[in-house]
PDB file of all heavy atoms in Angstrom:
ATOM      1  N   HIS A  88     -53.114 -79.378  53.540  1.00 96.00           N
ATOM      2  CA  HIS A  88     -53.400 -79.442  52.114  1.00 96.00           C
ATOM      3  C   HIS A  88     -54.664 -78.622  51.809  1.00 96.00           C
ATOM      4  O   HIS A  88     -55.493 -78.372  52.695  1.00 96.00           O
ATOM      5  CB  HIS A  88     -53.570 -80.895  51.676  1.00 96.00           C
ATOM      6  CG  HIS A  88     -52.266 -81.649  51.677  1.00 96.00           C
ATOM      7  ND1 HIS A  88     -52.157 -82.955  51.282  1.00 96.00           N
ATOM      8  CD2 HIS A  88     -51.012 -81.252  52.034  1.00 96.00           C
ATOM      9  CE1 HIS A  88     -50.891 -83.331  51.378  1.00 96.00           C
ATOM     10  NE2 HIS A  88     -50.188 -82.326  51.838  1.00 96.00           N
ATOM     11  N   GLU A  90     -57.393 -79.329  50.333  1.00 97.00           N
ATOM     12  CA  GLU A  90     -58.665 -80.005  50.612  1.00 97.00           C
ATOM     13  C   GLU A  90     -59.047 -79.824  52.090  1.00 97.00           C
ATOM     14  O   GLU A  90     -60.227 -79.644  52.422  1.00 97.00           O
ATOM     15  CB  GLU A  90     -58.546 -81.512  50.326  1.00 97.00           C
ATOM     16  CG  GLU A  90     -58.190 -81.868  48.885  1.00 97.00           C
ATOM     17  CD  GLU A  90     -56.682 -81.953  48.637  1.00 97.00           C
ATOM     18  OE1 GLU A  90     -55.933 -81.138  49.216  1.00 97.00           O
ATOM     19  OE2 GLU A  90     -56.252 -82.812  47.852  1.00 97.00           O
ATOM     20  N   ILE A  91     -58.047 -79.877  52.959  1.00 97.00           N
ATOM     21  CA  ILE A  91     -58.314 -79.760  54.401  1.00 97.00           C
ATOM     22  C   ILE A  91     -58.806 -78.349  54.734  1.00 97.00           C
ATOM     23  O   ILE A  91     -59.777 -78.161  55.474  1.00 97.00           O
ATOM     24  CB  ILE A  91     -57.034 -80.120  55.218  1.00 97.00           C
ATOM     25  CG1 ILE A  91     -56.536 -81.514  54.825  1.00 97.00           C
ATOM     26  CG2 ILE A  91     -57.274 -79.991  56.718  1.00 97.00           C
ATOM     27  CD1 ILE A  91     -57.555 -82.631  54.927  1.00 97.00           C
ATOM     28  N   PRO A 111     -56.550 -85.949  45.345  1.00 97.00           N
ATOM     29  CA  PRO A 111     -56.360 -85.946  46.800  1.00 97.00           C
ATOM     30  C   PRO A 111     -55.377 -87.040  47.224  1.00 97.00           C
ATOM     31  O   PRO A 111     -55.380 -88.135  46.647  1.00 97.00           O
ATOM     32  CB  PRO A 111     -57.767 -86.230  47.338  1.00 97.00           C
ATOM     33  CG  PRO A 111     -58.692 -85.821  46.236  1.00 97.00           C
ATOM     34  CD  PRO A 111     -57.965 -86.124  44.967  1.00 97.00           C
ATOM     35  N   CYS A 112     -54.552 -86.732  48.213  1.00 95.00           N
ATOM     36  CA  CYS A 112     -53.507 -87.688  48.595  1.00 95.00           C
ATOM     37  C   CYS A 112     -54.085 -88.792  49.478  1.00 95.00           C
ATOM     38  O   CYS A 112     -55.106 -88.636  50.133  1.00 95.00           O
ATOM     39  CB  CYS A 112     -52.360 -86.970  49.296  1.00 95.00           C
ATOM     40  SG  CYS A 112     -52.782 -86.326  50.906  1.00 95.00           S
ATOM     41  N   THR A 118     -48.283 -84.319  56.449  1.00 82.00           N
ATOM     42  CA  THR A 118     -49.680 -84.229  56.905  1.00 82.00           C
ATOM     43  C   THR A 118     -50.386 -85.543  56.560  1.00 82.00           C
ATOM     44  O   THR A 118     -49.864 -86.349  55.797  1.00 82.00           O
ATOM     45  CB  THR A 118     -50.407 -83.045  56.231  1.00 82.00           C
ATOM     46  OG1 THR A 118     -50.514 -83.319  54.841  1.00 82.00           O
ATOM     47  CG2 THR A 118     -49.680 -81.732  56.427  1.00 82.00           C
ATOM     48  N   GLY A 119     -51.575 -85.735  57.117  1.00 80.00           N
ATOM     49  CA  GLY A 119     -52.281 -87.015  56.958  1.00 80.00           C
ATOM     50  C   GLY A 119     -52.974 -87.140  55.618  1.00 80.00           C
ATOM     51  O   GLY A 119     -53.022 -86.194  54.833  1.00 80.00           O
ATOM     52  N   PRO A 120     -53.518 -88.315  55.293  1.00 94.00           N
ATOM     53  CA  PRO A 120     -54.154 -88.512  53.993  1.00 94.00           C
ATOM     54  C   PRO A 120     -55.469 -87.738  53.857  1.00 94.00           C
ATOM     55  O   PRO A 120     -56.357 -87.854  54.712  1.00 94.00           O
ATOM     56  CB  PRO A 120     -54.427 -90.021  53.940  1.00 94.00           C
ATOM     57  CG  PRO A 120     -54.120 -90.569  55.278  1.00 94.00           C
ATOM     58  CD  PRO A 120     -53.546 -89.506  56.150  1.00 94.00           C
ATOM     59  N   CYS A 121     -55.600 -86.983  52.780  1.00 96.00           N
ATOM     60  CA  CYS A 121     -56.820 -86.197  52.557  1.00 96.00           C
ATOM     61  C   CYS A 121     -58.017 -87.096  52.262  1.00 96.00           C
ATOM     62  O   CYS A 121     -59.149 -86.733  52.576  1.00 96.00           O
ATOM     63  CB  CYS A 121     -56.609 -85.218  51.406  1.00 96.00           C
ATOM     64  SG  CYS A 121     -55.525 -83.861  51.854  1.00 96.00           S
TER      65      CYS A 121
HETATM   66 ZN1   ZN B  16     -53.597 -84.244  50.837  1.00 80.75          ZN
END
Side-chain angles (χ1 to χ4, degrees):
H88 289 182
E90 300 90 323
I91 305 306
C112 69
T118 66
C121 288

